[in-house]
Amino acid sequence: GAGVSQSPSNKVTEKGKDVELRCDPISGHTALYWYRQRLGQGLEFLIYFQGNSAPDKSGLPSDRFSAERTGESVSTLTIQRTQQEDSAVYLCASSSGGGGNTEAFFGQGTRLTVV
Amino acid sequence: TQLLEQSPQFLSIQEGENLTVYCNSSSVFSSLQWYRQEPGEGPVLLVTVVTGGEVKKLKRLTFQFGDARKDSSLHITAAQPGDTGLYLCAGRSGSARQLTFGSGTQLTVLP
């Protein structure tokens, strides 16, 4: 596709349920990021994939959060046993490399609401 | 963890006024980017600065990277309602591969 695509755009789930969020990056982009954005705040880094290297998971807030990426394509962020504090917009971005000057292109995000 | 602090957090001004947004850190960054985010959308890149002291201009927007590459500023001249949005700075250090974002400045320009 022309841009980064995320699905679903909105997700309402009950506390304690598991959720999966999907990100389709721009074709050919080797780098993929997941961020969390709480209402009116900046972006909180979660995880970073670069090619076939081991992902940088240093931003995952707890072991309830995990993410996978198939090659250099689709990524899935999974949150197990969701809590109300997990409510946020989850943004995915991709870039053509991990270099310092490369532009990150963002999807529109998945708004997660845990009730 | 590199922290980027932005100020002010909120800014509401009248059309035609000038404003400056600041992005500060105790860490040195190899590059720093500014993004703008509108409601319901992901952030969109405005500019990348890489050299200490560098100044870049984008129409009415002027971006500066500090000499020590620890801070940056965004100056908007004659703000317009279309400038309304969340402005985010983001940087990478030499060792970290991830892009670290600041907390953002929510700008509202009133007509």
Side-chain angles (χ1 to χ4, degrees):
Chain A
V4 177
S5 177
Q6 291 188 245
S7 61
S9 55
N10 282 284
K11 176 72 176 178
V12 180
T13 190
E14 292 181 350
K15 177 181 174 181
K17 295 285 181 70
D18 298 351
V19 294
E20 282 191 356
L21 313 180
R22 177 187 169 105
C23 173
D24 284 271
I26 293 172
S27 179
H29 279 191
T30 58
L32 187 146
Y33 304 80
W34 282 98
Y35 291 90
R36 179 170 69 181
Q37 185 175 34
R38 293 200 165 99
L39 186 63
Q41 298 190 15
L43 277 63
E44 176 187 3
F45 168 75
L46 296 178
I47 189 168
Y48 166 70
F49 296 90
Q50 172 60 50
N52 294 319
S53 301
D56 180 348
K57 303 179 181 180
S58 61
L60 295 178
S62 77
D63 59 7
R64 295 187 296 105
F65 287 72
S66 62
E68 294 184 347
R69 187 181 186 192
T70 307
E72 293 185 353
S73 60
V74 172
S75 176
T76 303
L77 176 69
T78 301
I79 308 174
Q80 295 178 311
R81 305 181 302 281
T82 52
Q83 303 294 314
Q84 287 186 331
E85 66 258 27
D86 299 334
S87 295
V89 175
Y90 289 82
L91 288 161
C92 174
S94 70
S95 67
S96 58
N101 301 345
T102 53
E103 177 178 358
F105 293 84
F106 283 83
Q108 292 186 317
T110 293
R111 181 176 298 279
L112 175 66
T113 304
V114 182
V115 298
Chain B
T1 302
Q2 303 96 31
L3 292 176
L4 280 167
E5 296 184 357
Q6 288 187 239
S7 62
Q9 186 177 0
F10 298 97
L11 188 57
S12 182
I13 61 171
Q14 293 293 134
E15 182 175 2
E17 292 183 354
N18 302 331
L19 68 113
T20 302
V21 174
Y22 299 94
C23 175
N24 295 290
S25 176
S26 58
S27 301
V28 174
F29 289 92
S30 57
S31 66
L32 196 137
Q33 298 177 325
W34 283 91
Y35 289 78
R36 187 173 85 183
Q37 184 179 23
E38 298 189 21
E41 303 289 333
V44 176
L45 181 68
L46 295 174
V47 76
T48 301
V49 286
V50 298
T51 306
E54 182 176 3
V55 176
K56 281 193 174 179
K57 292 192 174 183
L58 184 65
K59 296 183 179 178
R60 294 176 293 100
L61 278 61
T62 302
F63 304 86
Q64 184 163 9
F65 202 11
D67 291 340
R69 291 186 290 140
K70 292 183 179 181
D71 56 88
S72 181
S73 64
L74 158 60
H75 182 78
I76 301 179
T77 303
Q80 299 177 0
D83 296 328
T84 293
L86 180 66
Y87 288 81
L88 297 156
C89 63
R92 285 188 182 90
S93 74
S95 57
R97 294 181 296 169
Q98 76 271 20
L99 197 57
T100 300
F101 279 82
S103 52
T105 294
Q106 180 62 54
L107 172 66
T108 303
V109 182
L110 304 169

